[in-house]
Amino acid sequence: MLVPDRPRRLARRERRDHPRVFATLTAPSFGPVHNRPDHGVCRCGTRHAPDAPELGTALDPATYDYAGAVLFNNHAGQLWQRFTTRLRRELAARADLPRRELADHVRLSYGKVAEFQKRGALPFHAVIRLDGPEGPGTPPPAWATAGVLADAIDAAAAHSYTSVSVPAAGDQPARSFRWGTQLDVRPVKAFGDGSDITEQAVASYVAKYSTKAAESTGTLDRRIGELSELDRHRVPDHTRRLITACRDLDSLYPDRRLWAWAHMLGFRGHFSSKSRHYSTTLGALRQARADYRAAQDAGALGLDDREPDTVLVLVDWQYAGHGHTPGESALAATIARDIRLNRETAREALRDQAGAEGEW
């Protein structure tokens, strides 16, 4: 196991003190669904069990906006992008700075995951952090607090700029998508004080959301070739309607590739993403693993320390066998027999043709 050096440990410790929040941006409503409210019963008049199959399904499928639901999923990535753009503007306004000068004082970083709810809609859960101008290794200015960040998030999510417009097409009306009204923003602390959530709790939440793939709604884990596949896999009716909506809308919005992503209920993004400076990159992690395995192999082989540019050629020959395997021999014999029969048939056909011409 690689042991990080002391400066990197200190950098992570310093990031713990940077203002950060755990924010959940929800999808809007596309119609009432069966649920389990904290108090009382569902709108259908029933107190559903926690594992009831009807949870998240439409109370009235005839009026539920299935087309709107899959189009929202399809545009969720663009909606997040507009939210982060507006969030930077809101931070600059609270610091009384021009937007173009914000990066000289503070840097916005985030890591987010998408969660598939039972109803098939996508909320985003994100850890959003404020760092200094040089990234995580530098402290943010004094005015950049968790309270300022939370207030800016509230304003950015509610701003009219944070919306995505979808034009009318065919029988579908023009739509404008925004985040749902249930916005949850909570400060994150390294160690809980009873009011804020801890980074350990956030890690547990993120792990839980990351493992809730689209299959949790009853859809398939691969691309769908035809709707008949839904019958073979007994896809629930609510999910079937969402997938069918993707199929029906595909020709109206060909650039959105809704049918290709019907198994993801229209969503075409990655379940997890982050800003560049939020944490280490995947390339750095791959290099660390490669360095570790190289050092491990060098120790096992008893190799001395070598210069980084030294090229080692390790030769280890082993006898693997000769000729065809039994299966390959049978296949080769079959091919040879087919070729021989084809040639004999061709020669007979030529002889018959020559004989017929001589008689004539």
Side-chain angles (χ1 to χ4, degrees), residues 1 7 19 24 30-31 122 150 192 245 346 360:
M1 183 175 187
T24 298
F30 302 102
L122 273 175
W360 178 261

Side-chain angles (χ1 to χ4, degrees), residues 18-353:
H18 294 188
R20 50 185 175 164
V21 299
F22 186 59
T24 298
L25 292 90
T26 59
S29 174
F30 302 102
V33 297
H34 292 275
N35 61 0
R36 296 185 74 250
D38 295 335
H39 304 285
V41 297
C42 177
R43 294 184 184 182
C44 68
T46 304
R47 181 67 177 177
H48 297 294
D51 57 349
E54 61 269 21
L55 286 176
T57 63
L59 284 172
D60 183 7
T63 60
Y64 192 83
D65 188 8
Y66 291 97
V70 297
L71 284 171
F72 173 84
N73 289 347
N74 191 258
H75 290 81
Q78 293 173 250
L79 194 59
W80 172 263
Q81 183 180 23
R82 294 183 73 86
F83 163 72
T84 55
T85 299
R86 186 63 208 179
L87 179 54
R88 291 181 174 91
R89 294 175 182 171
E90 294 291 342
L91 289 170
R94 281 153 180 76
D96 197 21
L97 292 170
R99 167 63 184 87
R100 63 180 179 274
E101 295 181 9
L102 180 66
D104 298 332
H105 299 268
V106 70
R107 186 182 295 275
L108 179 72
S109 299
Y110 65 83
K112 69 174 177 66
V113 293
E115 174 201 6
F116 274 96
Q117 295 178 315
K118 290 288 290 184
R119 62 177 175 139
L122 273 175
F124 282 163
H125 307 276
V127 179
I128 305 175
R129 188 183 68 222
L130 294 179
D131 300 320
E134 300 300 324
T138 56
W143 60 263
T145 64
V148 169
L149 177 58
D151 183 61
I153 291 173
D154 288 337
H159 198 276
S160 59
Y161 176 83
T162 308
S163 61
V164 175
S165 297
V166 180
D171 60 346
Q172 294 298 318
R175 290 179 169 89
S176 181
F177 292 118
R178 304 174 60 87
W179 295 113
T181 56
Q182 296 180 337
L183 174 66
D184 183 30
V185 182
R186 289 181 285 173
V188 179
K189 297 293 185 181
F191 304 100
D193 60 1
S195 59
D196 300 324
I197 60 175
T198 65
E199 56 188 17
Q200 290 81 6
V202 169
S204 298
Y205 293 150
V206 170
K208 180 182 72 172
Y209 300 141
S210 299
T211 55
K212 288 183 66 176
E215 301 92 270
S216 64
T217 66
T219 186
L220 305 183
D221 60 355
R222 60 187 180 279
R223 290 192 173 180
I224 301 170
E226 53 187 19
L227 290 179
S228 60
E229 294 181 35
L230 309 184
D231 297 326
R232 293 197 299 270
H233 295 280
R234 300 180 181 179
V235 173
D237 181 68
H238 181 77
T239 306
R240 177 190 296 269
R241 290 173 181 265
L242 291 169
I243 294 173
T244 303
C246 289
R247 194 274 312 269
D248 296 341
L249 294 170
D250 187 65
S251 60
L252 301 180
Y253 305 95
D255 59 314
R256 305 307 303 180
R257 304 186 67 231
L258 284 157
W259 180 235
W261 294 98
H263 64 297
M264 297 287 285
L265 308 182
F267 180 56
R268 53 192 292 183
H270 199 278
F271 82 95
S272 175
S273 62
K274 69 179 186 67
S275 60
R276 181 173 181 82
H277 296 280
Y278 176 76
S279 62
T280 186
T281 63
L282 294 177
L285 292 176
R286 285 193 293 267
Q287 186 61 50
R289 286 196 296 268
D291 293 342
Y292 173 73
R293 291 302 300 271
Q296 190 179 48
D297 292 342
L301 295 173
L303 299 176
D304 297 330
D305 292 337
R306 310 235 177 217
E307 294 296 328
D309 296 332
T310 301
V311 177
L312 297 178
V313 180
L314 303 179
V315 180
D316 183 15
W317 295 93
Q318 292 183 353
Y319 178 72
H322 68 282
H324 292 305
T325 64
E328 292 170 343
S329 299
L331 179 61
T334 301
I335 294 174
R337 184 176 65 253
D338 291 343
I339 293 175
R340 186 173 60 255
L341 290 175
N342 289 338
R343 287 176 178 173
E344 292 175 355
T345 302
R347 283 194 293 268
E348 291 176 359
L350 289 173
R351 285 196 298 269
D352 293 342
Q353 182 179 1

